[in-house]
Amino acid sequence: MRSCFLFYLILISWQAFAQSGLIQGKVTASKKAVEFVGIKNGNRQVAVTDSNGYYRINELTEGTYILNVTAVGYEDATKTIHLLGNDTLTVNFDLKASSKQLREVVVSGTMKEVSRLDSPVPVEVYTPTFFKKNPTACIFDALQNVNGVRPQVNCNICNTGDIHINGLEGPYTMVTIDGMPIVSSLSTVYGLSGIPNSLIDRIEIVKGPASSLYGSEAVGGLINIITKKTGTAPTFSADVFSTTWGELNTDVGFKLGSGKSAFLTGINYFTYQNPIDKNHDSFTDVTQQHRISFFEKWSLQRKENRLFNLAGRYFYEDRWGGEMGWNRSYRGGNVLYGESIYTSRWELLGNYQLPLKERIIYSFSYNDHHQNSAYGLTPFVATQRIAFNQLVWDKKIKKHDLLAGTALRYTYYDDNTSASRGANAQTKNVWLPGIFVQDDISVHPKHNILFGLRYDYNSNHGNIMTPRFAWKWKMNDYNVLRLNAGTGFRVVNLFTEDHAALTGAREVVILEDLKPEKSYNLNLNFNTTIARESHSPANLELSAWYTYFNNRIVADYETDVNKIIYDNLRGYAVSRGVSANLDLSFAHAIKLITGFTLMDVSTIDNVAGNKTKERQMLTEPWMGTWALTIPIKKNKLSFDYTGNIYGPMRLPLMENDPRPGKSPVWSLQNVQLTYNYRQFELYGGVKNILNFTPNKGLPYLIAGADKPFDDGFDPTYVYAPNQGIRGFLGVRVNVKR
């Protein structure tokens, strides 16, 4: 009996000892719940609010906890809690609307996590909420509503394209996933399709050279796609929509596991199998497509909150465009003209924080891209493999925020064109080792100066140095002035340049060994809050830039209409302009995001002392974008009106061409109505409500469409999508728990 009593006392004592504390509460803003927001204790995330704004932190030991809540569009909120024994405490947070999303965490400007307010480099951030205002099947199309960024369609038949930033063409833009150079060179044309939207946390855009940190291809700017963290990702999400043209896009994401190990899976499937010829040229207006992409991300929670993430993606696409009635039996033949492209691609990327006292992170990526295409009678078979390794040391010493690293990039490229064959063929194996260092110095509470330097050795082009300088003046929490200066470089990726040659009868001619381009850039950025009231903030961002290019690679379409002649410019090129972004919030939660860019992108050819200035082809002198959201809360509805407008651009012409040499002013505008009910959204609307297509008012759009296998056939006279007005209807579901 005495032993039983002793056992009972031990059991009670053990239970009392094992009991732990609990902190719970709700996160609100203006008395409304803030859903799916991460809550951190120090640097470690410990909870996420549910769809009603509630959170719960279990199994806490006695001690002091510093809880921090960071949410997009709101000021940070921090509370210190002293927990005694097995207390149950209720701690609520009431967030205040941020005057500007300057407190969002960004990584693209300095390769480390800092708030936008503290970043010496201007970084624009776009969340999935922004892109939902005009739902699209891929990131390429989604960027059409970002000021200063334009998706450029390069072919009327295969509808491939690239991304222009401030007028500079696709080869000048680096696209990364979680900071890793996944999309580049050959895959720039197709790589922005098929990234599952369900796994995208945000997209960060840096306009202007970023070569001192990211190396080649970041001359014009950087688009960094940040995927969701396993701790904040929903348990299940789905987004399915279809259009009246017969397009169907399905995007599904789900999370498995929790605690120390979690897996995120994203699947995207897009299909369009409805040949349409509304411009009556006997060719499909839009390519027929089957596209599927699988994305998997694994995160492991380690001691002291050290990083370990591993992700992979597989992408396959089958697309074709051409004469109506074309099918696979005509592929590569001369009966009916068609452009058929099979793309198979897989990627692996990850980062691992070394188990050291110092913060040292090893990052890596690898991608394998294979393409088998037929452009009429012209076959194109290409393989590209890129391996990337990087080691970064992040250290703070008093007023110095240091970043130093080393990188090694290996590129293998081979195809059956002049890029890999002939006297001026590129080397198949290119090594690019490099080292870089950056010091962000807090010289004054309101002033920061950043110095950066990168050295690379290209196995083809030798030594390359890219210095960088930035100055940030934080006048107060509402006004920030930034000055950035630096250089950029771009080595030759000929496939990106000569893709137009594959789609027509033009011959590629390379006059000499192409040298790498070098750019010198100056950028001034001012961000201010016009209205500081929490319920009606208004924010204005102004930028001005000037970029000077040496050895600019120029494609000459006009000297010989049957050729595309590539050479380094005997002179220089300039990209300069100003832009403004305005973010307004009105009463009743009405919101307007609008922007305007004015730019001049020109080449100055210097032959025998005679200077000739010419505007870059397929580059608009000005552009504007807008997105207006009007909530109708009583009926759980919201209305979105989005659009863009572009100035006239110079177009490639054939000999004795009756088509105009400049495009008209053109605009794509869309409307959408969304119904919200708990975890579901039903949305629908109309795209391209003005029914604009580039063929209107022209005798023809495709040159030589009646004889596609003869000289004179050319589908590169294109600046806008061929797809006219269409309706769409879709549904979204988001389950957090």
PDB file of all heavy atoms in Angstrom, residues 66 132 276 321 339 437 462 655 689 709 722 733:
ATOM      1  N   ILE A  66       9.876  36.674 -26.825  1.00  0.00           N
ATOM      2  CA  ILE A  66       9.683  37.909 -27.594  1.00  0.00           C
ATOM      3  C   ILE A  66       9.003  37.527 -28.904  1.00  0.00           C
ATOM      4  O   ILE A  66       9.632  36.979 -29.814  1.00  0.00           O
ATOM      5  CB  ILE A  66      11.017  38.621 -27.856  1.00  0.00           C
ATOM      6  CG1 ILE A  66      11.715  38.949 -26.529  1.00  0.00           C
ATOM      7  CG2 ILE A  66      10.795  39.895 -28.665  1.00  0.00           C
ATOM      8  CD1 ILE A  66      13.098  39.551 -26.692  1.00  0.00           C
ATOM      9  N   LYS A 132      -3.439  37.987 -58.784  1.00  0.00           N
ATOM     10  CA  LYS A 132      -4.815  37.485 -58.847  1.00  0.00           C
ATOM     11  C   LYS A 132      -5.769  38.503 -59.455  1.00  0.00           C
ATOM     12  O   LYS A 132      -6.872  38.141 -59.872  1.00  0.00           O
ATOM     13  CB  LYS A 132      -5.299  37.103 -57.445  1.00  0.00           C
ATOM     14  CG  LYS A 132      -4.710  35.809 -56.911  1.00  0.00           C
ATOM     15  CD  LYS A 132      -5.230  35.522 -55.509  1.00  0.00           C
ATOM     16  CE  LYS A 132      -4.616  34.253 -54.938  1.00  0.00           C
ATOM     17  NZ  LYS A 132      -5.109  33.998 -53.562  1.00  0.00           N
ATOM     18  N   ILE A 276      -7.532  28.270 -83.757  1.00  0.00           N
ATOM     19  CA  ILE A 276      -8.380  29.401 -84.131  1.00  0.00           C
ATOM     20  C   ILE A 276      -7.612  30.304 -85.095  1.00  0.00           C
ATOM     21  O   ILE A 276      -6.426  30.575 -84.890  1.00  0.00           O
ATOM     22  CB  ILE A 276      -8.816  30.195 -82.883  1.00  0.00           C
ATOM     23  CG1 ILE A 276      -9.766  29.353 -82.023  1.00  0.00           C
ATOM     24  CG2 ILE A 276      -9.500  31.504 -83.264  1.00  0.00           C
ATOM     25  CD1 ILE A 276     -10.185  30.037 -80.737  1.00  0.00           C
ATOM     26  N   GLY A 321       2.364  25.559 -83.550  1.00  0.00           N
ATOM     27  CA  GLY A 321       1.578  26.553 -84.263  1.00  0.00           C
ATOM     28  C   GLY A 321       1.915  26.437 -85.737  1.00  0.00           C
ATOM     29  O   GLY A 321       2.989  25.966 -86.108  1.00  0.00           O
ATOM     30  N   GLU A 339       5.366  24.813 -86.715  1.00  0.00           N
ATOM     31  CA  GLU A 339       6.481  24.934 -85.786  1.00  0.00           C
ATOM     32  C   GLU A 339       6.126  24.134 -84.538  1.00  0.00           C
ATOM     33  O   GLU A 339       5.220  24.500 -83.786  1.00  0.00           O
ATOM     34  CB  GLU A 339       6.737  26.404 -85.456  1.00  0.00           C
ATOM     35  CG  GLU A 339       7.179  27.176 -86.684  1.00  0.00           C
ATOM     36  CD  GLU A 339       7.447  28.642 -86.435  1.00  0.00           C
ATOM     37  OE1 GLU A 339       7.331  29.090 -85.272  1.00  0.00           O
ATOM     38  OE2 GLU A 339       7.773  29.331 -87.409  1.00  0.00           O
ATOM     39  N   VAL A 437      32.517  40.463 -52.830  1.00  0.00           N
ATOM     40  CA  VAL A 437      32.493  40.983 -51.473  1.00  0.00           C
ATOM     41  C   VAL A 437      31.624  42.234 -51.464  1.00  0.00           C
ATOM     42  O   VAL A 437      31.571  42.983 -52.448  1.00  0.00           O
ATOM     43  CB  VAL A 437      33.918  41.300 -50.965  1.00  0.00           C
ATOM     44  CG1 VAL A 437      34.575  42.388 -51.803  1.00  0.00           C
ATOM     45  CG2 VAL A 437      33.889  41.698 -49.495  1.00  0.00           C
ATOM     46  N   GLY A 462      37.935  35.589 -70.456  1.00  0.00           N
ATOM     47  CA  GLY A 462      38.963  36.043 -69.533  1.00  0.00           C
ATOM     48  C   GLY A 462      38.422  36.760 -68.313  1.00  0.00           C
ATOM     49  O   GLY A 462      37.334  36.463 -67.818  1.00  0.00           O
ATOM     50  N   GLU A 655      11.688  43.457 -97.598  1.00  0.00           N
ATOM     51  CA  GLU A 655      11.869  44.303 -98.777  1.00  0.00           C
ATOM     52  C   GLU A 655      10.513  44.614 -99.413  1.00  0.00           C
ATOM     53  O   GLU A 655       9.670  43.734 -99.556  1.00  0.00           O
ATOM     54  CB  GLU A 655      12.778  43.594 -99.781  1.00  0.00           C
ATOM     55  CG  GLU A 655      13.229  44.477-100.929  1.00  0.00           C
ATOM     56  CD  GLU A 655      14.259  43.784-101.810  1.00  0.00           C
ATOM     57  OE1 GLU A 655      14.565  42.606-101.548  1.00  0.00           O
ATOM     58  OE2 GLU A 655      14.750  44.426-102.752  1.00  0.00           O
ATOM     59  N   ILE A 689     -10.615  43.491 -73.228  1.00  0.00           N
ATOM     60  CA  ILE A 689     -11.977  43.977 -73.495  1.00  0.00           C
ATOM     61  C   ILE A 689     -12.040  44.875 -74.731  1.00  0.00           C
ATOM     62  O   ILE A 689     -13.109  45.049 -75.328  1.00  0.00           O
ATOM     63  CB  ILE A 689     -12.555  44.726 -72.265  1.00  0.00           C
ATOM     64  CG1 ILE A 689     -11.664  45.918 -71.879  1.00  0.00           C
ATOM     65  CG2 ILE A 689     -12.730  43.776 -71.098  1.00  0.00           C
ATOM     66  CD1 ILE A 689     -12.204  46.732 -70.740  1.00  0.00           C
ATOM     67  N   PHE A 709       7.379  28.082 -97.301  1.00  0.00           N
ATOM     68  CA  PHE A 709       8.647  27.372 -97.473  1.00  0.00           C
ATOM     69  C   PHE A 709       9.589  28.106 -98.420  1.00  0.00           C
ATOM     70  O   PHE A 709      10.663  27.595 -98.745  1.00  0.00           O
ATOM     71  CB  PHE A 709       8.395  25.946 -97.979  1.00  0.00           C
ATOM     72  CG  PHE A 709       7.646  25.092 -97.004  1.00  0.00           C
ATOM     73  CD1 PHE A 709       6.286  24.877 -97.152  1.00  0.00           C
ATOM     74  CD2 PHE A 709       8.294  24.514 -95.926  1.00  0.00           C
ATOM     75  CE1 PHE A 709       5.584  24.094 -96.243  1.00  0.00           C
ATOM     76  CE2 PHE A 709       7.604  23.731 -95.021  1.00  0.00           C
ATOM     77  CZ  PHE A 709       6.240  23.518 -95.171  1.00  0.00           C
ATOM     78  N   ASN A 722      -1.632  37.763 -80.281  1.00  0.00           N
ATOM     79  CA  ASN A 722      -2.656  37.644 -81.326  1.00  0.00           C
ATOM     80  C   ASN A 722      -4.029  37.298 -80.767  1.00  0.00           C
ATOM     81  O   ASN A 722      -5.003  37.227 -81.519  1.00  0.00           O
ATOM     82  CB  ASN A 722      -2.265  36.547 -82.330  1.00  0.00           C
ATOM     83  CG  ASN A 722      -1.084  36.969 -83.186  1.00  0.00           C
ATOM     84  OD1 ASN A 722      -0.914  38.140 -83.488  1.00  0.00           O
ATOM     85  ND2 ASN A 722      -0.258  36.006 -83.562  1.00  0.00           N
ATOM     86  N   VAL A 733      -9.415  27.496 -53.981  1.00  0.00           N
ATOM     87  CA  VAL A 733      -9.666  26.998 -52.640  1.00  0.00           C
ATOM     88  C   VAL A 733      -8.348  27.022 -51.879  1.00  0.00           C
ATOM     89  O   VAL A 733      -7.289  26.724 -52.446  1.00  0.00           O
ATOM     90  CB  VAL A 733     -10.270  25.572 -52.663  1.00  0.00           C
ATOM     91  CG1 VAL A 733      -9.335  24.594 -53.372  1.00  0.00           C
ATOM     92  CG2 VAL A 733     -10.567  25.090 -51.253  1.00  0.00           C
TER      93      VAL A 733
END
